[in-house]
Amino acid sequence: KLFNNEKQLEGWDIVRPDTQELFFYRTDSPLDKYVASQGHILRTLFRNYNTGEGKDVSGLPVQDMCAGINAIFGEKERSSAMYSVIHSRALEGEPDYRLLGAIARRSGCDPMAALEMKPRYIKKILRPLGMMKNPIVFITDGQNSEVLDRLLADPEIGPMIRTVPEGASWVGGDLTLALMANAFIGNPASTFTGFIAKSRLALGFGHNYLFRARDENWEWKNVCGDECVFDKSIMHVLA
């Protein structure tokens, strides 16, 4: 329920937690109910999105959520485009590495693969999907160019890599590109990756690859289901 003014709050018990309390809040709801609740919220959110018209609450012009996908595929072709997205997130110092390591221990995923995004790792995901001949869109925080350089140098992956033009690159545009992809590869220690994966699940998209590890035959496999991004026993505050 949305309240538009203080008068509408009459008769309600008002709780005003601070930012830290909200960040560390952990629901007591069972996982299935939490996933359903979060999914409903995310679907409601995406019913209305910025199209580049009007201004935000600060009076600044809004940007177009479709800027990135339009720049790469065009407005007419975007709905039929088949592509995958890699989200590369550089972790900032020892605390972030510990965060990924903790998620790896709780989920069973590899503690470095989703950070390094090496060509072999990417191929083991995309080849079985038949996606190696389709564009691979690379979105990033821009803090570790080595990941992109390594992928561009690969003879199979390099020619398929697409990056968002600078004028069209912003968080909303990158989000839409990742949402609409046929396959999404991300880092579970990234809040942006987590939001993308949750939104894709809420909107009915599968093929999210965050939690991967090698099996006894040294082959890569998923080790945690799609709903792991919502599981507070694994993701803690990131869920």
Side-chain angles (χ1 to χ4, degrees):
K1 182 176 177 61
L2 297 177
F3 299 95
N4 297 310
N5 54 62
E6 290 289 330
K7 185 173 180 59
Q8 294 178 351
L9 297 176
E10 294 179 0
W12 292 79
D13 292 327
I14 309 301
V15 178
R16 301 183 187 275
D18 60 30
T19 303
Q20 185 176 34
E21 289 174 317
L22 286 171
F23 184 79
F24 286 103
Y25 172 77
R26 294 178 67 175
T27 180
D28 294 326
S29 297
L31 180 59
D32 58 340
K33 291 186 177 180
Y34 179 65
V35 172
S37 172
Q38 291 290 296
H40 172 72
I41 292 170
L42 290 167
R43 285 189 295 274
T44 301
L45 175 66
F46 284 103
R47 288 176 186 164
N48 297 284
Y49 56 88
N50 290 331
T51 60
E53 298 181 2
K55 297 182 179 181
D56 63 18
V57 293
S58 301
L60 299 174
V62 299
Q63 299 187 66
D64 189 349
M65 291 288 288
C66 295
I69 197 169
N70 287 344
I72 294 178
F73 300 108
E75 291 187 43
K76 293 183 178 180
E77 302 296 328
R78 69 189 187 192
S79 62
S80 59
M82 292 188 64
Y83 66 98
S84 54
V85 164
I86 298 170
H87 174 228
S88 174
R89 170 72 166 88
L91 301 184
E92 300 164 358
E94 191 60 31
D96 279 345
Y97 283 98
R98 288 201 300 269
L99 174 60
L100 180 56
I103 292 173
R105 287 192 298 274
R106 294 190 293 264
S107 68
C109 73
D110 188 276
M112 292 299 294
L115 178 64
E116 297 172 331
M117 295 289 182
K118 291 183 176 180
R120 180 177 174 82
Y121 177 76
I122 301 301
K123 292 176 188 179
K124 285 293 183 179
I125 295 172
L126 297 183
R127 199 183 304 281
L129 300 176
M131 293 294 291
M132 285 296 295
K133 299 298 183 182
N134 297 94
I136 302 170
V137 179
F138 186 86
I139 60 176
T140 178
D141 58 10
Q143 296 186 32
N144 184 3
S145 61
E146 292 181 6
V147 175
L148 179 58
D149 292 343
R150 191 162 50 227
L151 294 174
L152 287 171
D154 185 86
E156 289 185 279
I157 293 178
M160 308 313 298
I161 290 290
R162 305 288 186 271
T163 57
V164 185
E166 184 175 346
S169 179
W170 73 288
V171 64
D174 289 354
L175 172 61
T176 301
L177 269 167
L179 280 178
M180 302 304 294
N182 297 85
F184 172 65
I185 305 170
N187 181 344
S190 162
T191 54
F192 191 50
T193 279
F195 184 76
I196 291 168
K198 291 174 185 177
S199 299
R200 284 174 58 86
L201 292 171
L203 296 173
F205 295 106
H207 296 297
N208 298 314
Y209 300 92
L210 281 65
F211 304 94
R212 306 273 288 175
R214 293 184 186 273
D215 63 16
E216 63 275 7
N217 297 317
W218 211 238
E219 293 293 330
W220 289 102
K221 66 176 184 178
N222 288 336
V223 295
C224 208
D226 284 341
E227 292 185 351
C228 282
V229 289
F230 292 99
D231 193 335
K232 290 186 178 294
S233 69
I234 294 172
M235 302 300 293
H236 287 191
V237 296
L238 297 184

